[in-house]
Amino acid sequence: MTTFRPKFVTFDCYGTLTRFRMSDMARELYADVVPSESMEQFCKDFAAYRLDEVLGPWQPYRYVLLNAVERTCKKWNVPFAPEVANKFYEAVPTWGPWDDVPAGLSKVAKEVPLVILSNASNTQIHSNVAKLGAPVHAVFTAEDAQAYKPHMRAFEYMLDKLGCGPEDILHVSSSLRYDLMTAHDLGIRNKVFVARGHEPSTPYYGYTEIPDIGGLPGVLGL
């Protein structure tokens, strides 16, 4: 892997590059109705419903979040209010990167074009990308592809737009379930798992593991 120089380094954005604050917001917005000792499970259920929502036909990301919040509230028998649920969607463009991201990305960007494939709407993602502190060659969204990761169609859309094959890219993500499992199935051999603690490491899927984006230049021999 250290000698592989891809045509593009492709990234998941939310969670991998941008610090994804869904659980932080859930803890704040539902503190009055969910007991503190149960909040961790409430957040895990919210994450699970977000994943389930993107497994169906494409829908605007606003509705992915609204539906996931509503289903989580129903499971926990707590009040659902659309105006509260909308706060999650409205907050996304304000989130910035993990502290390790700007320096690591900037070093890689000097040698290889950076590309983002994100489960985002076009009205959100560009604000987050602008905060990353490094030049990004191209940004592709679920809205563009009309498919969310982990659907293969999202990755296929990106590869078609880039005019390259699975063998030409290095894909970087902190999520096995959204990104690296599908990348494996599509034949993307060169993968990096950023171990941010969202999911356990599963080496079967054949990746290089790094603790944060600061380790990415080393993977590329930079």
Side-chain angles (χ1 to χ4, degrees):
M1 178 81 93
T2 56
T3 59
F4 176 67
R5 187 58 58 90
K7 292 182 179 178
F8 304 96
V9 181
T10 61
F11 295 86
D12 166 62
C13 187
Y14 298 135
T16 303
L17 302 179
T18 295
R19 189 172 180 181
F20 206 46
R21 297 182 177 272
M22 288 291 172
S23 292
D24 295 339
M25 288 194 65
R27 292 185 182 96
E28 177 183 341
L29 293 173
Y30 292 93
D32 293 339
V33 291
V34 176
S36 58
E37 65 272 17
S38 302
M39 186 58 77
E40 187 66 24
Q41 187 59 51
F42 182 85
C43 292
K44 287 180 179 179
D45 289 344
F46 180 31
Y49 280 124
R50 294 197 306 272
L51 175 60
D52 193 62
E53 283 293 322
V54 302
L55 294 176
W58 182 84
Q59 58 181 326
Y61 191 62
R62 181 184 295 275
Y63 296 108
V64 169
L65 292 180
L66 283 171
N67 293 341
V69 173
E70 184 173 21
R71 294 170 72 186
T72 306
C73 289
K74 180 179 179 181
K75 180 175 182 177
W76 283 81
N77 195 30
V78 300
F80 168 72
E83 62 272 19
V84 174
N86 267 319
K87 292 182 179 181
F88 289 97
Y89 181 83
E90 292 163 357
V92 172
T94 70
W95 295 338
W98 295 94
D99 291 342
D100 54 86
V101 166
L105 278 191
S106 296
K107 191 169 184 179
V108 174
K110 293 176 183 177
E111 303 293 335
V112 188
L114 310 183
V115 174
I116 287 174
L117 176 64
S118 179
N119 279 0
S121 70
N122 291 331
T123 58
Q124 295 175 310
I125 188 67
H126 297 288
S127 176
N128 303 109
V129 171
K131 296 177 177 67
L132 295 178
V136 175
H137 171 75
V139 177
F140 303 110
T141 68
E143 183 176 354
D144 295 328
Q146 294 288 285
Y148 287 100
K149 299 177 297 180
H151 286 287
M152 287 184 175
R153 288 195 307 278
F155 286 88
E156 290 168 337
Y157 176 87
M158 176 183 70
L159 292 172
D160 286 346
K161 289 294 185 180
L162 293 174
C164 67
E167 70 279 5
D168 296 320
I169 68 170
L170 171 68
H171 191 66
V172 182
S173 179
S174 62
S175 175
L176 273 292
R177 297 182 76 180
Y178 277 96
D179 284 78
L180 297 180
M181 290 181 180
T182 302
H184 172 272
D185 292 344
L186 279 170
I188 299 172
R189 291 182 299 171
N190 299 287
K191 302 179 289 296
V192 170
F193 175 52
V194 186
R196 296 208 184 273
H198 311 316
E199 300 171 15
S201 181
T202 310
Y204 169 83
Y205 291 98
Y207 48 73
T208 297
E209 184 171 328
I210 58 177
D212 55 47
I213 298 298
L216 185 59
V219 174
L220 292 159
L222 302 176

